[in-house]
Amino acid sequence: MVISQASVIHEYATKSPSVSGVPGHFTENEQNKMAKLWTMILAHFEQVKDKPIKVASEYLHTITRDWSELDATDKFGNEDPAAVTLRAWQFTKGESSIKRFGLGSKKAKLSREELALDRHVNETTQQYVDRINGRNVALMPDNFFPSFAHPSTETRDFRDIFWATVSIKQHPDYWVHRYMRSAGWDVDRAFAMIKGIIEWRATEAIDKIICEGEIHSGHDEQRLCLSQLIGRDRLGYPLMFVRVRHIMPRANEGFVFKRYLLSQFESLQIVTRRFGRVTMLYDFTGFTMDNTPFTMVQFMVFLGRKVYAESSSVLILLVDSWLFTNFWNLIRPFLDANLSARIIFVKDVSEVRQFIDEDQLPKELGGTNTFAAPFKLPEEGENAKMFDLDGRKVAETEWRRRIADFESLTKKWCDCLTSASRSAEELNKLAAQRDEAGREVERAELALNRFTR
């Protein structure tokens, strides 16, 4: 199913999101295709149950770069051995703000706090907390393991990773359906996408990144608030605001920023467990090419098109630069038709109001939304549940029981759909039982994630 940008804009103009082809509104043909896809998924569990996937993640590397040799004099003229700034910025001594001139971009004045980086530019939040406290602070357990059923940190189980990914949604169909839509309701393509994504998540140990969250993510990315949930769009979807000019991936090891992006995208999956989609507003005011290196953008496209397919309602790009047009021509070939249709270019805030009401727009863009949530450092003791292994084991056992119930009812539902002798009453009863079992899976996951996230 290919959508058009005109249909997306119409949804916002009428404040009526389309329900065509979404769970609860399937046609008979779509329902049969969903059943076929579930049959393929459940059969694959059996085929790979004794074939663990080896972990080989590039995102779990340890930060080893030594920044001690960097210039000890900052560009403000201060002789401060702890201060080092990026050479990408032009600083004016004595000013409370900094003028930055980016090729093709309008001049932007940003505060020193926004742009200044210290010598610990690659620190994770854990490393920062340890440093300012002068000791190792136990923010979470050191001995991560995927599950009690599969405790090895060197491999992952396909079925476990599938359910750890899927059960965060209100109903398992919500996650599976996304790939069906992305594949144009081609069952074989949808299955291949799901299989590939779960194998990728297993290989890259995404479950560990989720568990560690902001604690092992880059501290600078967190404190600069590169991206924040600030409200809702006109259709009620959560609104993520991204200040592109704050992004400084060149200051970090490549895997550090990728790990941050993964952590952010995974957080959005939790936020959208009931909303289904999220709207993202990218403010490119004052950006330069240093903010958008091609490898980073390629990775973001991969996440948006493959890993988190059909997760966005619209991606609004507020662009004030001719430079981005050329850059857009480079990345456009990597986008599929559906993702392209959801990318909206706007030149000023008045155009943004087609999608976001003024009371939800941030004040810095002329709206009345004064939302501000500066990054709060995690504190020792706030993740006490993660140290409670007995509680986690009980929650995991219940989670697995609910998954087994859902799988059993799904098999019966699939068989009933293909049975020539089925009755409408029998099918409706099974569908209702399966839906309730799906909600029980979500409730069990909510209980479990207190110990794992």
Side-chain angles (χ1 to χ4, degrees), residues 114 228 230 241-243 245-246 283 285 318 349 361-371:
E114 288 176 325
Q228 287 182 299
I230 63 171
F241 180 46
V242 183
R243 300 173 178 88
R245 64 183 178 274
H246 288 187
D283 179 12
T285 304
L318 177 57
V349 176
L361 269 176
K363 194 173 182 180
E364 63 192 84
L365 293 184
T368 59
N369 185 349
T370 57
F371 175 87

Side-chain angles (χ1 to χ4, degrees), residues 61-78:
H61 296 169
T62 302
I63 295 172
T64 57
R65 181 182 293 181
D66 179 8
W67 289 85
S68 61
E69 299 303 315
L70 288 177
D71 184 4
T73 303
D74 72 14
K75 289 185 180 290
F76 301 131
N78 302 318

Side-chain angles (χ1 to χ4, degrees), residues 28 39 86 95 123 276 287 296 329 389 446:
E28 183 177 353
T39 299
L86 288 179
E95 291 189 355
E123 278 185 320
F287 94 105
M296 183 201 76
N329 289 334
L389 295 183
L446 283 169

Side-chain angles (χ1 to χ4, degrees), residues 139-377:
L139 297 176
M140 63 173 291
D142 292 327
N143 57 333
F144 168 84
F145 61 98
S147 67
F148 286 96
H150 191 91
S152 170
T153 59
E154 303 298 321
T155 61
R156 295 293 189 272
D157 177 74
F158 184 95
R159 179 172 175 267
D160 272 11
I161 296 300
F162 175 88
W163 282 113
T165 305
V166 172
S167 62
I168 66 170
K169 294 301 180 184
Q170 188 176 22
H171 189 288
D173 278 352
Y174 278 67
W175 189 89
V176 171
H177 157 258
R178 281 179 11 195
Y179 296 92
M180 188 71 93
R181 277 182 65 97
S182 183
W185 288 89
D186 181 318
V187 178
D188 292 330
R189 265 189 69 203
F191 174 73
M193 289 179 70
I194 289 171
K195 178 176 175 291
I197 291 304
I198 296 302
E199 289 173 349
W200 175 83
R201 294 179 70 93
T203 301
E204 300 296 349
I206 304 302
D207 54 350
K208 189 173 190 293
I209 294 174
I210 295 169
C211 178
E212 294 173 343
E214 64 190 27
I215 293 174
H216 287 275
S217 187
H219 176 242
D220 275 311
E221 283 78 16
Q222 301 289 344
R223 74 177 179 84
L224 290 175
C225 300
L226 304 187
S227 57
Q228 287 182 299
L229 284 166
I230 63 171
R232 300 187 188 281
D233 69 7
R234 297 192 77 208
L235 296 183
Y237 294 127
L239 173 62
M240 174 72 83
F241 180 46
V242 183
R243 300 173 178 88
V244 179
R245 64 183 178 274
H246 288 187
I247 299 174
M248 294 177 275
R250 295 183 193 277
N252 287 319
E253 305 282 5
F255 72 90
V256 174
F257 198 77
K258 286 182 178 181
R259 190 161 64 192
Y260 169 76
L261 288 174
L262 283 166
S263 179
Q264 291 296 297
F265 272 89
E266 284 297 324
S267 296
L268 286 178
Q269 300 312 296
I270 297 293
V271 172
T272 60
R273 66 166 66 228
R274 286 182 171 81
F275 297 100
R277 296 184 183 275
V278 64
T279 284
M280 304 187 75
L281 171 58
Y282 291 85
D283 179 12
F284 281 86
T285 304
F287 94 105
T288 72
M289 292 300 286
D290 273 333
N291 301 124
T292 54
F294 188 61
T295 53
M296 183 201 76
V297 176
Q298 269 189 312
F299 184 66
M300 292 184 69
V301 170
F302 165 69
L303 294 180
R305 180 185 173 190
K306 299 282 189 180
V307 183
Y308 306 102
E310 292 290 314
S311 293
S312 302
S313 179
V314 286
L315 294 94
I316 306 168
L317 278 55
L318 177 57
V319 180
D320 70 344
S321 168
W322 57 265
L323 181 66
F324 189 84
T325 303
N326 295 328
F327 189 69
W328 169 250
N329 289 334
L330 291 175
I331 65 174
R332 184 166 51 185
F334 297 98
L335 306 176
D336 61 27
N338 280 356
L339 184 56
S340 294
R342 295 186 181 278
I343 297 176
I344 310 290
F345 286 92
V346 296
K347 294 181 179 179
D348 55 54
V349 176
S350 64
E351 296 178 69
V352 178
R353 292 191 176 94
Q354 297 178 71
F355 309 96
I356 305 168
D357 290 327
E358 187 171 342
D359 64 341
Q360 299 297 304
L361 269 176
K363 194 173 182 180
E364 63 192 84
L365 293 184
T368 59
N369 185 349
T370 57
F371 175 87
F375 176 60
K376 184 177 180 296
L377 285 173

